[in-house]
Every structure is written in structure tokens, then in C-alpha cells.
């Protein structure tokens, strides 16, 4: 395809984030597009053949090119950070798959009860679904939106999350709620530590604008504004990258989080009855396996009478792409263990970071590059 041979392809961009995959010309233009063009024609993407003239002129020895000549460290710019030592090796995560109604006060009280139940079962990290305090609709977002920065009465949902985290001494990835900031609305996830402090705020970067004729049409950009910043946060249960629902479709964001040393990526999400059966588990396992880290998702429970019907199936996936825990579509609280020692095990089993072809491709974390300069 023509797009596969352009000199620079912009994969993901925003005010503060633009990921560029540098493709350079070589004689291998007829290879599949994922084998992008080589920086050096001397490095073939295959094994070199060498004749052994001393012993047998007919025999051929397959000699692998040294991995170092592939410049794997240059496949990420700036170079990937080493995986940090986490504050804990093992802990329990709680995924609260909640029913959501038009009653905001009820939704807040119901979420708090689920958080308390998960903590009582030993969860040190509790996660809520996408848009858990409001119906999922463009009509509802402006009505239910809260001023998170103002806090207090202006944001009763986050006030509850902060208090629950402080009282229960847990970390909360607070799903997402509609946020009002000036004259703009965002789909926003807040992360609170065990002191109740707001540690991070992620605004959904990729808005859910899709049209599948006869199945589903939803245009989030009618009311919402896209976020401009990837979010990675150090918590008492490790370094966590945050994405919201549609963000999971963009592997570049997950790669950025992995290169910044994430142990876990959390995606509160609400896939629908069309894309959910096909892609929900597939994307989670792909993000986890490709980046060799944990992926956790949390969906609202399914309500067939709602205007938007969620798929459900909240899930925890391990660094080998294995489903560790999941559920169906009803309300549920999943409790499962995360063991970070498996990250190094899997990265030793499959040493992908040492096998990348920095001589062929490069992913640029523009935000980090600018901050380092």
C-alpha cells in the first residue's frame, strides 16, 4: 500500500502526543508492510548463509545475525525505561462490574458499596467501569458531568472515591465519569491513592466515533473533547498506565506505556454488543502479550433496556496473554491476584525487547522526547 512506503507515517497525534514510525527505503519494498524499510541495506531480515568449504562444500550453515546489530534499543525513542521495582510483588485486584441507572445518587452509593466489598475481600487495587455514574449517551454526558478540579460538591463522584480510598487504605482506578472543564466535556478516569489523594487524571484520548450500518452508530465527539496526554502513574501497587475503552484499540498507546515502565494497564471500558463479542477479549490479550505486562478491564453490567447496551465481561489478563479471571455480563466483583514476578519470567521466556529491529522501525514517544530535551 502507498501508506506503507511513505517516509514518515504519523500513527497517533494530539497536542502533546504524536507517535511516528520512521520508514526508510530499501530493496525490500515488496515485503509485507509490517517489515518496514531498512535503515541499512546490509542487514537482511533473514538468516545469512555461509558455505563451509573446509568440511563439505555442499553443506550450508545458517548463521543468525547478532541481535545487537539490529539495534533493538533504537526501536523506542527515547530508549525504553527499565522495568521499575514495584512496591509490592503480589496483591489482589478487584474489578467491580456495576449496573448503572439514571439515578446518579444511587450510582454513587452503589459504587461505594462495591468498592467496600472488594476491599473486604482483600483487594488493594479496585477498579470501576467506564461512565459508572451516568447513562452512556451524548444526551446524558452534559447533565451528569462534574467539575473534578473544583471537587467537593462540584464532583460528588470523585469525592466519594477519594474518601473510600482513604478510609479503606486502597488504590482506586475510578473508572470514568463525564468531566466538565470550562466549556468542554471529557470522559475522565481518576486514580486515588490510599491517602485519598488524586494521583492522576486521564482524559480519553481516542473518542468513540464509529458507524457500523445496521448495528451501531455512536459519535462521542458530538459532546466530548479528546484528551491530549497519555497517563502513567506510580502507585502503591505498581506503575499503571491508564486508557479508557476505545483507547485499547490503539496499540501505540500501550507500547508507550510499556516503554515508560508500566507493570499494568487499566482500561475501564464499555464495549457494545457488536464489537464486544469480536474484539473485547482479543484486544486485551493482544495488548498484554505484545507488551508483556498485565491488562485489567472493567465494564458496566449489561442492561438490555438501556439506550447503549454494554457487553460486560470484565477481565484480568496476564503478561503471557492468558485470561486470569473474567465474568459474564451480570453485576459481579472479580477478585484476582497479580504477581509482578511473572513479568521478568515472561520477558526472559520471550526476550522481545532484545529482538526488536531498531534498524527497521522506530516508535517515538514525542511527549517524553520533548520533556527530555
Amino acid at each position: 500500500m502507498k501508506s506503507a512506503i511513505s517516509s514518515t507515517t504519523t500513527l497517533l497525534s494530539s497536542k502533546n502526543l504524536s507517535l511516528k514510525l520512521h520508514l526508510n527505503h530499501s530493496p525490500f519494498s515488496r515485503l509485507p508492510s509490517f517489515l518496514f524499510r531498512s535503515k541499512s541495506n546490509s542487514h537482511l531480515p533473514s538468516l545469512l548463509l555461509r558455505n563451509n568449504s573446509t568440511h563439505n562444500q555442499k553443506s550450508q550453515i545458517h548463521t543468525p545475525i547478532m541481535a545487537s546489530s539490529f539495534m533493538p534499543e533504537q526501536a523506542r525513542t527515547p530508549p525504553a525505561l527499565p522495568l521499575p521495582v514495584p512496591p509490592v510483588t503480589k496483591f489482589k485486584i478487584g474489578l467491580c462490574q456495576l449496573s448503572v441507572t439514571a439515578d446518579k445518587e444511587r450510582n454513587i452509593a452503589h459504587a461505594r458499596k462495591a468498592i467496600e466489598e472488594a476491599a473486604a475481600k482483600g483487594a488493594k487495587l479496585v477498579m470501576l467501569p467506564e461512565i459508572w455514574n451516568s447513562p452512556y449517551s451524548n444526551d446524558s454526558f452534559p447533565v451528569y458531568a462534574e467539575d473534578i478540579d473544583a471537587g467537593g460538591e462540584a464532583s460528588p463522584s470523585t469525592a466519594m472515591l477519594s474518601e473510600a480510598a482513604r478510609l479503606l487504605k486502597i488504590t482506586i482506578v475510578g473508572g470514568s465519569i463525564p468531566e466538565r472543564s470550562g466549556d468542554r466535556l471529557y470522559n475522565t478516569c481518576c486514580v486515588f491513592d490510599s491517602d485519598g489523594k488524586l494521583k492522576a487524571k486521564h482524559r480519553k484520548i481516542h473518542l468513540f466515533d464509529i458507524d457500523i450500518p445496521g448495528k451501531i452508530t455512536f459519535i462521542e465527539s458530538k459532546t466530548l473533547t479528546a484528551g491530549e496526554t497519555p497517563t502513567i502513574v506510580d502507585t502503591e501497587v505498581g506503575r499503571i498506565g491508564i486508557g479508557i475503552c476505545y483507547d485499547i484499540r490503539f496499540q501505540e498507546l500501550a507500547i508507550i506505556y510499556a516503554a515508560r515502565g508500566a507493570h499494568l494497564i487499566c482500561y475501564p471500558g464499555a464495549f457494545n454488543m457488536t464489537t464486544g463479542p469480536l474484539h473485547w477479549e482479543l484486544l486485551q490479550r493482544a495488548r498484554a502479550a505484545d507488551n508483556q505486562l498485565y491488562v485489567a478491564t472493567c465494564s458496566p453490567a449489561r442492561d438490555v433496556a438501556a439506550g447503549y447496551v454494554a457487553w460486560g465481561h470484565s477481565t484480568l489478563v496476564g503478561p503471557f496473554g492468558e485470561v486470569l479471571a473474567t465474568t459474564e455480563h451480570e453485576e459481579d466483583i472479580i477478585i484476582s491476584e497479580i504477581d509482578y514476578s511473572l513479568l521478568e519470567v515472561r520477558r526472559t521466556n520471550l526476550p522481545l525487547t532484545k529482538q526488536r529491529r531498531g534498524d527497521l522501525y522506530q516508535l517515538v514517544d514525542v511527549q517524553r522526547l520533548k520533556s527530555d530535551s
Side-chain angles (χ1 to χ4, degrees), residues 71-248:
M71 299 179 285
E73 71 284 350
Q74 293 187 24
R76 302 289 182 264
T77 301
L81 298 174
L83 191 70
V85 177
V88 293
T89 301
K90 292 183 181 181
F91 66 94
K92 289 182 179 179
I93 185 173
L95 309 176
C96 300
Q97 184 164 290
L98 305 175
S99 64
V100 179
T101 71
D103 185 339
K104 186 175 182 178
E105 289 187 5
R106 175 268 177 197
N107 293 336
I108 294 173
H110 189 61
R112 179 166 192 150
K113 182 178 178 182
I115 292 169
E116 291 171 347
E117 183 177 338
K121 292 180 178 179
K124 292 300 181 182
L125 171 63
V126 176
M127 185 175 166
L128 298 185
E130 181 185 23
I131 307 294
W132 57 268
N133 71 344
S134 161
Y136 190 88
S137 73
N138 280 313
D139 291 337
S140 298
F141 295 152
V143 177
Y144 290 75
E146 301 180 5
D147 186 341
I148 295 173
D149 291 338
E153 294 182 358
S155 185
S157 298
T158 58
M160 180 276 288
L161 296 177
S162 173
E163 184 177 60
R166 177 176 57 83
L167 294 177
L168 298 169
K169 296 300 177 185
I170 59 173
T171 299
I172 295 179
V173 175
S176 78
I177 65 171
E179 177 196 10
R180 185 181 300 280
S181 181
D183 59 353
R184 294 184 176 184
L185 298 176
Y186 298 93
N187 186 341
T188 301
C189 174
C190 294
V191 180
F192 293 90
D193 67 12
S194 62
D195 292 326
K197 180 182 177 182
L198 178 63
K199 294 284 290 183
K201 186 170 71 171
H202 177 78
R203 291 168 170 169
K204 189 174 186 176
I205 292 175
H206 306 90
L207 294 183
F208 181 56
D209 289 1
I210 71 164
D211 182 16
I212 303 176
K215 297 290 186 178
I216 182 171
T217 299
F218 201 100
I219 310 296
E220 270 190 331
S221 61
K222 283 184 177 180
T223 55
L224 301 179
T225 299
E228 298 178 342
T229 308
T231 305
I232 191 163
V233 55
D234 286 316
T235 74
E236 292 153 312
V237 289
R239 184 169 294 178
I240 302 176
I242 305 292
I244 299 174
C245 199
Y246 206 55
D247 284 339
I248 199 173

Side-chain angles (χ1 to χ4, degrees), residues 230-303:
T231 305
I232 191 163
V233 55
D234 286 316
T235 74
E236 292 153 312
V237 289
R239 184 169 294 178
I240 302 176
I242 305 292
I244 299 174
C245 199
Y246 206 55
D247 284 339
I248 199 173
R249 289 191 177 274
F250 299 87
Q251 68 270 35
E252 299 87 354
L253 183 61
I255 293 170
I256 286 295
Y257 288 154
R260 293 185 184 186
H263 302 103
L264 163 70
I265 305 178
C266 290
Y267 294 101
F271 269 45
N272 55 74
M273 298 299 293
T274 299
T275 60
L278 291 170
H279 302 152
W280 181 236
E281 182 180 303
L282 171 71
L283 289 167
Q284 296 172 62
R285 296 183 69 186
R287 299 295 85 85
D290 286 350
N291 297 290
Q292 299 178 307
L293 43 65
Y294 282 89
V295 167
T297 63
C298 192
S299 169
R302 189 181 306 170
D303 178 0

